[in-house]
Amino acid sequence: MADGRRDDTRRKLAGLYLPTLAISFGQGLILPAVPAIAGRFDVSPGLAAQIVTAYATGRVTALLPSGLLVDRLSPGLVLLLGSTCFVGGALIMLFSPVFWGLLAGQWLAGVGSSLWLAGREISGLALVRPDQRGRLMSGFFGFQLAGTGLGPVAGGL
């Protein structure tokens, strides 16, 4: 029985680690494209770089509400809401005919990222013993940094 529970926990943790990598990787993909975005939408490179700021602003905007939602709803619901916002933001960016749509999509993706991260951490903490929390958090941040680092490499190629 203990092995079955351990396998279930590993599966659930993979369901938290792998999307973390994917979200960070996807966000990093856009960085090398900023100069091309400037040219395509006929905006200055400085304005095009605000795509990064829009994402960060979305994350900051959603930090406090993310924690409140995890407390009031459930971590699983917040994970779903965060994923939906992130994908919605990506779709807005994909289909936007105007530069301001890219900024709005990035902002929504940033909101989704904060929601995802809050739900992820609470969900993960519920899966492990107190003496495993440090390793859990190190794993989360490791996967996030790996995605953030590898995304621009892939985007540049």
Side-chain angles (χ1 to χ4, degrees):
M1 183 73 171
D3 285 339
R5 194 172 322 144
R6 189 174 305 135
D7 289 343
D8 187 48
T9 298
R10 286 184 180 147
R11 184 183 51 75
K12 288 177 181 176
L13 287 173
L16 296 173
Y17 282 127
L18 296 178
T20 296
L21 180 67
I23 287 171
S24 299
F25 183 85
Q27 190 53 39
L29 281 172
I30 199 165
L31 294 177
V34 169
I37 289 168
R40 181 172 188 273
F41 288 96
D42 197 28
V43 298
S44 71
L47 185 57
Q50 296 312 305
I51 287 174
V52 177
T53 304
Y55 182 78
T57 303
R59 285 193 64 182
V60 168
T61 302
L63 284 174
L64 189 57
S66 295
L68 292 171
L69 286 173
V70 168
D71 289 342
R72 292 209 172 122
L73 303 174
S74 71
L77 228 52
V78 175
L79 284 167
L80 180 61
L81 181 60
S83 300
T84 302
C85 287
F86 191 85
V87 169
L91 290 173
I92 289 169
M93 290 186 307
L94 181 63
F95 294 112
S96 178
V98 295
F99 178 73
W100 302 107
L102 294 181
L103 293 179
Q106 278 289 87
W107 182 85
L108 185 58
V111 167
S113 177
S114 277
L115 290 165
W116 166 262
L117 293 173
R120 171 197 78 175
E121 291 175 17
I122 298 301
S123 295
L125 290 173
L127 292 172
V128 299
R129 298 184 319 261
D131 65 314
Q132 297 173 319
R133 290 178 181 164
R135 285 174 278 169
L136 173 82
M137 297 306 289
S138 294
F140 281 159
F141 294 125
F143 273 74
Q144 190 169 345
L145 289 172
T148 301
L150 295 173
V153 171
L157 295 175

